[in-house]
Amino acid sequence: MPRLTDARKELRRAQITEAAVRCFSRNGLERTSIAEITAESGLSVGSIYAHYRNKADLVQGSARAVLAKRAEVLGEYAASDTPPDPDELLARLTAAIDPAEARVGVQTWGEATTNLVIRDIVVDMTDRMRAMLHDCVTAWLVKVEHLEPAEARERATPVAHRVMALYQAELLYIALQSPTEETAS
């Protein structure tokens, strides 16, 4: 059997994590089996386990994939000549929320209260997202508001915290909508 190239491995991992997010969204983290993810992805069980050790590893991979999407967008915002202000940043982030990903995110938060492995994933992802928001707000304060970098970093901390909290509230709101409400919004 030919070995997979790195690019092909990444595509395969993305295929698996996308299938896992769909399954987790429909059935919940606890009720989703590797067999369901296998069927949803169209791959073999061996292929799933070649990329992920277990379901917790797959949850982590899915969380990282979702965060990578946000990181790419936030990086573009921070690098632009005129980064968005915090209100616009929040509006853009919330407009990009995928309902299935929101449901999985909220399920993951719930699971984190009793599962230390999942808790570590959630804390890590939350810290990374807040750091990216901090970088974006800092860039706005420096490039648009013309603050010195040190002062901008200091002022960005509470703003990034509030943007993160509002973003998480919107994730919860969207996750709690029924699929018919999603299409009506």
Side-chain angles (χ1 to χ4, degrees):
M1 172 186 280
R3 296 189 60 95
L4 293 175
T5 64
D6 288 344
R8 188 75 176 140
K9 285 179 188 178
E10 285 308 309
L11 286 173
R12 191 63 52 87
R13 286 179 72 83
Q15 182 180 357
I16 295 165
T17 58
E18 289 166 10
V21 167
R22 289 190 302 270
C23 290
F24 294 150
S25 176
R26 268 194 317 266
N27 307 324
L29 294 175
E30 192 63 35
R31 290 187 310 265
T32 296
S33 68
I34 293 293
E36 289 169 308
I37 296 168
T38 300
E40 183 78 20
S41 70
L43 300 172
S44 69
V45 173
S47 183
I48 303 289
Y49 283 114
H51 296 279
Y52 296 98
R53 292 184 311 270
N54 51 38
K55 193 162 78 171
D57 193 31
L58 186 49
V59 168
Q60 183 175 24
S62 299
R64 289 193 192 288
V66 169
L67 182 66
K69 291 179 192 175
R70 299 301 161 269
E72 184 177 327
V73 171
L74 288 170
E76 289 171 9
Y77 293 162
S80 74
D81 290 336
T82 54
D85 66 50
D87 289 335
E88 178 63 21
L89 175 62
L90 180 62
R92 290 181 187 184
L93 285 171
T94 58
I97 294 172
D98 175 84
E101 291 175 357
R103 281 190 288 279
V104 174
V106 171
Q107 291 171 40
T108 306
W109 296 342
E111 187 68 21
T113 63
T114 58
N115 181 323
L116 291 178
V117 172
I118 302 297
R119 180 195 170 282
D120 290 345
I121 294 167
V122 169
V123 168
D124 180 54
M125 294 295 106
T126 302
D127 289 347
R128 286 174 187 240
M129 180 79 172
R130 187 174 288 120
M132 287 185 283
L133 289 170
H134 185 272
D135 291 347
C136 205
V137 172
T138 300
W140 170 72
L141 288 168
V142 169
K143 293 177 182 178
V144 177
E145 297 296 308
H146 308 292
L147 295 180
E148 291 298 320
E151 182 182 1
R153 282 190 297 277
E154 186 178 322
R155 286 193 183 185
T157 299
V159 175
H161 184 80
R162 286 191 300 273
V163 171
M164 182 69 175
L166 291 169
Y167 176 71
Q168 288 175 320
E170 191 66 20
L171 277 172
L172 177 60
Y173 177 77
I174 290 171
L176 294 176
Q177 289 182 341
S178 69
T180 54
E181 289 173 312
E182 287 170 18
T183 55
S185 324

